[in-house]
Amino acid sequence: MNLKVFLSLLVTASVVHAQEQTPPLTLEEAAKLYKPTYKTNFSTDMTAFMQNSPIFNGLGFVYVNPNGVSPKITETVVFHTNTVKVPVTTTTIVDVPYTYTVPVTTTTTVTVPYTYTVPVTRTWTTTSVVRTEVVTPYSVVTSQNSHFDMQFGSGSLPSWTVSDVIDQVLANAGQLTPSETQTFNGADVSNYWVINGAPTSAQDVRDALKNSGVKAPWTKGAVDISGYTTTGVSNANTTTTISNPADYVDGSGVLHRARTITVSTYSAVEDRSKTTVYGWVDTNGNGIVDDTDNVTVLTNGSFRGNATSTTTTETGERVTFTDETVTEHHSETVLEERTGTREETRTETREEERTGVRQEERSETREEERTETTQEVVRNKKNTWKFSFSPILSLDIQTPTKITSLDSQFVVPTVSQGTSRKFIEPSSSNKGFLVEKKVAVTGAIGGAVVAQYSAWKPGTALTLGMAPIAGTEKTFRTIVKTGYEAENVKVPSVPSSLNDLKKLKVGDSISFAQMGGVMFSAGAAYVALNVGVNYIAIGQWKTDIQKVNDNIYYVNRTALKMNNFGASIGTTLTVAYSANQFKSTDSQFSWVFNTADSQGAKALENFVFKGIALDAQKLVNSTGEKVVMAVTKQDNIARGHMRTISMGVPYITASWGKGRINQTQLTQYFPDNTLGDANYSVYLKARDSRMFNWIENSTVAFSAGRYNVRDVNTNELQDSGYMGQFIVSYTDTHTKGSELQRVVNQLVALTGMHKELYVEVPKIGNLGYGALSFQLTFDKSATDFLMALATDRMASRKLERDAQVFLNGYVRGNGFDRRNNSSSTDPIGMCGTIYNNNIDTCIRQAQEATLDATGEAIVNLRDMKAALERGDRRAFTTAYADFGKSLTASPFTFQAVLSAAVAGTAGKGVSSSYNVSGTRIKNYSLTPSWDAALVNEVNPLVK
């Protein structure tokens, strides 16, 4: 997820290369290797404190009794004596007369009218016309003319026979009619063959000789024996005028649209040579051109004159319509109502009354008083609290290994020409490897008080917990020659003396850190569901050491403090959603030591192993040859907020998060005594997953920064600026070629830059470590141009249109068919990867997303401009980061903004780098550059 692998590779390679020079590096030269830059500062180290571990999200370590707490119960027995009335019943039998009814049934037949329905079917035919549009691209030359104005010429005038002229003319008949006008010595002279057509017979040539007369100039047309040949050109100039006239419909009803008329005008001073008739001599005086007559011929003619030509070409689309008549047959069935009669049999039942006698049993009840004693048990309930203790125990161990092949595959094309290599080659096992091994152990031990109340629903509780946190971390980086050595690199123990550091190779680096802190949590729980807040305070002390050469060591000491407050909801150790706000402050101080000197060696040991900087400071301030140099002192304050969804169990987790980080940085570089003051704002989206030591991280971010660099003594401003950087980063300690290919495809889909960024990854089942990094930077000139564009109403509207033009061009160029729900190709996976699979829905979603994203980007650029004018650096970088968020919402907005920045700065305001690397593939590096050809290709914004 971070760029440390690539930065470490560059720094290590620089150090190793420096040692191959003669003489060896001095302290001053070594210090220059670590000079800070303010133009890129993206780092995700601080997000390490937002891991999806119970240590940090406050969930998952409290046990709640699901049965709840029972109230306290007491029982009391009470005796009661009562006088009660008891009912007494007597029964007698009597004869009772009664009346009853008997049913009598009669049947009759009657005729009844009724209504019924009959189905009736009718048919009819309809005719409709379907019109289809047929589009045919065309490109025609509508007009072409040329002219040659001879200024001077020379040649010899030998005498030929008519027969020789006929043979030569017919041999060159195909090149005798160039359609251009000619002016010789101020008089217009047309070519005879242009006027009368190319010769096809000997008689055509005789007629031409007779009409030409007996001496130049050729008033009836010059009779050329051969076409002219251009032997030299100077002062050549070609101008092109492009216009876009309105659409029109020709006489045949064909619509001509999207018309572009290109007028190319050519002018030059040309040297030409040709053979032509100077005059015909009627040798025998008979007035007829005979084959034996003499002809004076201008041979070896050399002419110089002004040649001009104009060619008009029209391109566009011809649109015709075809009508197709469609006939449809229809039928409909309806029910018609009709009437008739039928006979029905009706039955009628009536009751007849009769009398009789029956015996009935009659009962009589009366009450009698009696006395009785009863017993009652009374239950008394009282709600109670129950407090219990739940331990907090956590242990996290990470030992990832990252092995990157140094077998390089560099590609340095211009973007307008495309990438010449579209595939990554497998790496050699003996070209060298960069190895990074890390060992990190973090643990927490504490407890939580769990409070349950008997009146609450069983399984409900309040919790309050506290746990101290401690951890250690050690990282080792080295370069080895073979894959076998890379697989067997051992992480050295934390050095305790200078002798331990001398065991390192030149270029090796080792860092070790200790971390401690405390976490407080409070919340409510219901069985496995937890809702609560947590507060974490952490401090870290870290030392980085790199061996620059045999005697020079670079040491950087960092002291970091971080406070994090978060709220979360989730289930115990499975799924959680958290929102966190954090603040971190750190101070860094770096030195270079020359241990060839005994004082430098002692100062290094005291500083690194005892934490005493007094000796080093004295040597820095001393006169004479330097054995210790202070390099940088840096103070950082970062504030941010993250929202994260995580799931999993310890050592097997996955999380998705996004948020913003604002950072203030103050850096003093001692060798040139400068002080850098910078503000940064980062918007990022991240995804992390882990299965034991198989760790995958991916980040999409936009980092905006503004900085000033001043001289510490004079306060003179030496450098200032601002920039924005779009970053995509991916690392996976155990990956496959197909997984790395998926990441490449996602990058292409995010940016739309298929031509520049798509590359095929070898289909290797076990690729080992894999990484991808892409950075696109807008410098100050590009930023200024984009802000000016956004504040101009016409230019900003054109930017919105250009984003739609990129989308429409993509849809047309890849054969998207809404009617048949298909496309010829979809290089960036627009339908299915970014938007809906349905073509019509996909295009509509892309249009809406592109319009919204471009509009938001314009608003963000205006906010940047306003913040810049009032001198609010933090508001400027925050608005710039929001612009980066809008930029990544649509690949077509991305392309429109990129093309505008490239066109507005002639390709100089935008830079980028692209790297795909791994253990078993070559280190593929591409550095696109933008040139004038791209400016034309991307349809630049012009006010």
Side-chain angles (χ1 to χ4, degrees):
M1 189 170 67
N2 54 56
L3 306 178
K4 281 195 168 183
V5 171
F6 306 108
L7 294 177
S8 175
L9 172 61
L10 293 175
V11 172
T12 303
S14 300
V15 171
V16 174
H17 175 69
Q19 306 320 305
E20 296 174 353
Q21 301 176 357
T22 302
L25 281 176
T26 64
L27 276 184
E28 290 80 2
E29 292 170 333
K32 290 180 181 179
L33 295 174
Y34 304 95
K35 184 174 183 178
T37 176
Y38 306 97
K39 298 184 179 180
T40 55
N41 191 59
F42 177 72
S43 173
T44 57
D45 288 347
M46 63 187 68
T47 61
F49 297 104
M50 313 310 299
Q51 299 177 75
N52 301 301
S53 166
I55 296 176
F56 298 102
N57 60 31
L59 301 175
F61 19 67
V62 176
Y63 172 75
V64 178
N65 186 352
N67 297 323
V69 179
S70 300
K72 184 177 181 181
I73 305 297
T74 60
E75 294 184 352
T76 304
V77 179
V78 180
F79 295 93
H80 302 280
T81 302
N82 301 312
T83 300
V84 297
K85 292 183 179 182
V86 180
V88 177
T89 302
T90 58
T91 302
T92 58
I93 298 175
V94 296
D95 291 329
V96 179
Y98 71 98
T99 302
Y100 63 95
T101 57
V102 177
V104 178
T105 302
T106 59
T107 301
T108 58
T109 300
V110 296
T111 300
V112 179
Y114 73 98
T115 302
Y116 62 96
T117 57
V118 178
V120 178
T121 302
R122 63 185 181 89
T123 61
W124 73 95
T125 302
T126 60
T127 302
S128 58
V129 178
V130 178
R131 171 161 289 188
T132 303
E133 180 183 278
V134 180
V135 179
T136 305
Y138 70 92
S139 177
V140 295
V141 177
T142 58
S143 66
Q144 185 174 15
N145 60 78
S146 58
H147 180 77
F148 182 72
D149 183 4
M150 186 190 77
Q151 302 300 314
F152 61 85
S154 63
S156 60
L157 297 171
S159 179
W160 291 15
T161 64
V162 170
S163 177
D164 293 335
V165 172
I166 290 171
D167 292 340
Q168 290 297 317
V169 168
L170 293 179
N172 297 305
Q175 51 179 288
L176 290 177
T177 58
S179 59
E180 75 172 4
T181 61
Q182 302 174 5
T183 301
F184 289 172
N185 298 322
D188 292 338
V189 178
S190 301
N191 189 306
Y192 179 87
W193 305 115
V194 173
I195 300 172
N196 298 285
T200 59
S201 65
Q203 188 58 41
D204 291 343
V205 180
R206 294 188 188 99
D207 292 341
L209 292 174
K210 185 173 183 180
N211 290 332
S212 67
V214 296
K215 188 177 180 182
W218 303 273
T219 58
K220 297 180 181 180
V223 180
D224 290 343
I225 297 176
S226 67
Y228 69 79
T229 301
T230 301
T231 60
V233 178
S234 63
N235 298 328
N237 182 41
T238 302
T239 61
T240 301
T241 303
I242 299 176
S243 62
N244 299 100
D247 301 347
Y248 76 95
V249 179
D250 63 17
S252 300
V254 178
L255 171 64
H256 296 248
R257 72 182 183 193
R259 300 170 61 212
T260 300
I261 296 180
T262 305
V263 180
S264 298
T265 303
Y266 165 82
S267 64
V269 177
E270 292 188 357
D271 293 326
R272 296 182 176 182
S273 66
K274 71 174 180 176
T275 303
T276 187
V277 173
Y278 184 76
W280 161 61
V281 180
D282 188 4
T283 307
N284 53 18
N286 60 359
I288 300 173
V289 180
D290 298 319
D291 288 352
T292 57
D293 285 348
N294 291 329
V295 180
T296 303
V297 178
L298 178 62
T299 61
N300 298 320
S302 176
F303 307 94
R304 172 168 290 186
N306 297 321
T308 59
S309 65
T310 302
T311 303
T312 302
T313 304
E314 178 177 337
T315 61
E317 297 177 344
R318 292 191 181 99
V319 182
T320 58
F321 301 92
T322 60
D323 294 336
E324 178 183 357
T325 302
V326 178
T327 301
E328 296 180 337
H329 298 283
H330 308 273
S331 64
E332 181 184 28
T333 300
V334 297
L335 296 176
E336 291 187 356
E337 189 177 87
R338 299 182 182 179
T339 61
T341 59
R342 64 173 178 267
E343 289 186 347
E344 290 184 357
T345 300
R346 296 183 178 179
T347 301
E348 180 181 1
T349 302
R350 68 180 185 278
E351 292 186 345
E352 291 184 357
E353 187 176 276
R354 299 182 183 182
T355 61
V357 178
R358 67 172 178 267
Q359 289 185 335
E360 292 185 357
E361 186 178 87
R362 296 183 177 180
S363 298
E364 181 181 1
T365 302
R366 67 180 183 277
E367 290 184 346
E368 294 182 357
E369 288 188 355
R370 295 182 183 179
T371 301
E372 64 179 15
T373 300
T374 59
Q375 178 178 303
E376 180 184 4
V377 178
V378 179
R379 298 172 61 88
N380 300 309
K381 180 174 68 173
K382 182 179 180 181
N383 288 323
T384 60
W385 287 91
K386 181 180 180 180
F387 297 92
S388 59
F389 176 80
S390 178
I392 298 176
L393 299 173
S394 180
L395 179 64
D396 184 33
I397 301 175
Q398 294 187 27
T399 59
T401 299
K402 300 177 180 179
I403 301 175
T404 305
S405 172
L406 299 183
D407 188 0
S408 300
Q409 182 179 342
F410 290 100
V411 183
V412 191
T414 61
V415 173
S416 59
Q417 296 173 341
T419 304
S420 58
R421 303 295 297 274
K422 287 295 186 182
F423 59 90
I424 302 176
E425 302 171 356
S427 63
S428 170
S429 62
N430 56 5
K431 291 295 182 68
F433 294 87
L434 172 67
V435 182
E436 177 184 305
K437 285 202 169 187
K438 176 180 178 181
V439 177
V441 180
T442 305
I445 181 170
V449 176
V450 181
Q452 293 181 278
Y453 191 58
S454 59
W456 294 345
K457 188 175 182 178
T460 305
L462 296 177
T463 63
L464 180 64
M466 188 274 288
I469 304 171
T472 63
E473 179 182 311
K474 180 171 57 176
T475 304
F476 176 62
R477 297 183 185 90
T478 185
I479 293 179
V480 298
K481 293 183 179 179
T482 66
Y484 176 80
E485 293 178 89
E487 294 289 346
N488 291 277
V489 167
K490 302 296 182 182
V491 180
S493 58
V494 175
S496 58
S497 66
L498 180 59
N499 290 331
D500 293 337
L501 295 180
K502 289 183 177 181
K503 296 176 184 178
L504 300 176
K505 296 185 299 183
V506 173
D508 286 359
S509 66
I510 185 170
S511 64
F512 45 91
Q514 292 182 328
M515 182 263 286
V518 65
M519 181 200 71
F520 299 93
S521 65
Y526 176 68
V527 190
L529 179 64
N530 296 269
V531 179
V533 295
N534 58 80
Y535 173 78
I536 304 172
I538 290 178
Q540 186 187 55
W541 190 260
K542 183 178 181 181
T543 303
D544 296 277
I545 304 173
Q546 184 167 32
K547 188 172 184 178
V548 182
N549 67 16
D550 288 336
N551 298 307
I552 295 179
Y553 294 86
Y554 168 79
V555 181
N556 183 75
R557 179 69 58 79
T558 303
L560 179 143
K561 296 179 181 179
M562 180 174 175
N563 299 313
N564 176 71
F565 180 80
S568 54
I569 180 172
T571 58
T572 302
L573 295 178
T574 53
V575 179
Y577 171 79
S578 60
N580 298 278
Q581 292 186 348
F582 61 89
K583 176 184 177 182
S584 69
T585 60
D586 68 76
S587 297
Q588 301 181 31
F589 209 106
S590 62
W591 315 69
V592 286
F593 297 86
N594 186 353
T595 58
D597 184 275
S598 60
Q599 290 182 315
K602 180 182 178 182
L604 171 68
E605 289 191 318
N606 286 338
F607 180 68
V608 174
F609 307 118
K610 299 179 182 179
I612 301 174
L614 182 61
D615 292 339
Q617 191 63 52
K618 288 180 178 179
L619 292 175
V620 167
N621 298 328
S622 64
T623 59
E625 184 179 354
K626 294 289 186 182
V627 294
V628 178
M629 281 189 66
V631 181
T632 59
K633 180 181 183 302
Q634 186 177 95
D635 295 309
N636 291 285
I637 300 177
R639 292 179 173 87
H641 57 84
M642 295 286 291
R643 297 181 183 274
T644 307
I645 297 176
S646 58
M647 61 180 63
V649 295
Y651 299 99
I652 302 176
T653 61
S655 65
W656 299 263
K658 62 181 179 180
R660 181 193 301 279
I661 301 168
N662 294 310
Q663 182 178 2
T664 301
Q665 184 183 90
L666 196 65
T667 305
Q668 183 175 0
Y669 181 59
F670 292 99
D672 60 10
N673 212 23
T674 57
L675 182 66
D677 180 12
N679 290 84
Y680 301 97
S681 183
V682 181
Y683 168 77
L684 61 88
K685 293 189 294 185
R687 178 178 61 85
D688 304 311
S689 63
R690 175 188 179 187
M691 180 178 290
F692 300 100
N693 278 326
W694 291 20
I695 301 174
E696 177 184 353
N697 302 305
S698 65
T699 299
V700 176
F702 192 91
S703 173
R706 188 175 181 190
Y707 63 92
N708 293 320
V709 181
R710 298 181 181 274
D711 186 277
V712 174
N713 297 323
T714 65
N715 202 34
E716 179 183 356
L717 184 65
Q718 295 189 352
D719 188 16
S720 67
Y722 38 82
M723 68 284 161
Q725 188 176 58
F726 170 69
I727 300 165
V728 176
S729 175
Y730 167 84
T731 62
D732 191 346
T733 56
H734 296 77
T735 189
K736 298 184 292 186
S738 59
E739 293 180 358
L740 193 54
Q741 185 70 65
R742 173 181 55 80
V743 176
V744 171
N745 296 342
Q746 289 175 345
L747 173 61
V748 170
L750 182 66
T751 62
M753 299 172 66
H754 181 272
K755 180 179 179 181
E756 297 84 5
L757 303 182
Y758 179 78
V759 65
E760 291 186 7
V761 180
K763 297 178 180 179
I764 300 175
N766 180 12
L767 200 61
Y769 172 69
L772 178 145
S773 171
F774 174 66
Q775 301 177 44
L776 180 70
T777 303
F778 299 97
D779 71 1
K780 182 177 181 296
S781 65
T783 305
D784 289 338
F785 177 80
L786 291 174
M787 289 190 295
L789 179 151
T791 53
D792 185 281
R793 179 175 297 180
M794 294 181 61
S796 60
R797 287 180 177 176
K798 187 176 188 305
L799 179 64
E800 292 179 325
R801 291 196 301 272
D802 284 351
Q804 295 294 328
V805 167
F806 275 105
L807 169 60
N808 296 334
Y810 183 84
V811 170
R812 287 197 301 268
N814 292 288
F816 280 69
D817 188 342
R818 295 181 187 235
R819 179 177 298 178
N820 296 317
N821 192 32
S822 64
S823 64
S824 301
T825 57
D826 189 0
I828 69 171
M830 184 179 82
C831 295
T833 301
I834 308 177
Y835 306 114
N836 194 282
N837 276 316
N838 180 272
I839 296 297
D840 185 66
T841 304
C842 170
I843 295 175
R844 185 171 63 255
Q845 290 177 343
Q847 290 171 338
E848 294 173 354
T850 301
L851 184 62
D852 291 343
T854 310
E856 286 295 327
I858 292 172
V859 172
N860 301 143
L861 288 167
R862 292 172 180 169
D863 292 341
M864 291 164 54
K865 181 72 171 177
L868 189 65
E869 290 175 348
R870 65 176 184 267
D872 191 338
R873 297 202 303 179
R874 180 172 180 179
F876 173 80
T877 55
T878 300
Y880 209 161
D882 290 336
F883 165 76
K885 178 181 178 182
S886 303
L887 191 67
T888 59
S890 166
F892 307 105
T893 298
F894 191 100
Q895 292 179 71
V897 172
L898 174 60
S899 68
V902 170
T905 61
K908 298 179 181 180
V910 182
S911 61
S912 70
S913 64
Y914 182 40
N915 180 276
V916 183
S917 59
T919 305
R920 294 179 174 85
I921 59 174
K922 287 188 175 182
N923 198 314
Y924 178 88
S925 297
L926 169 66
T927 305
S929 60
W930 282 271
D931 54 19
L934 178 65
V935 175
N936 293 328
E937 179 181 321
V938 297
N939 303 317
L941 294 169
V942 178
K943 182 177 178 182

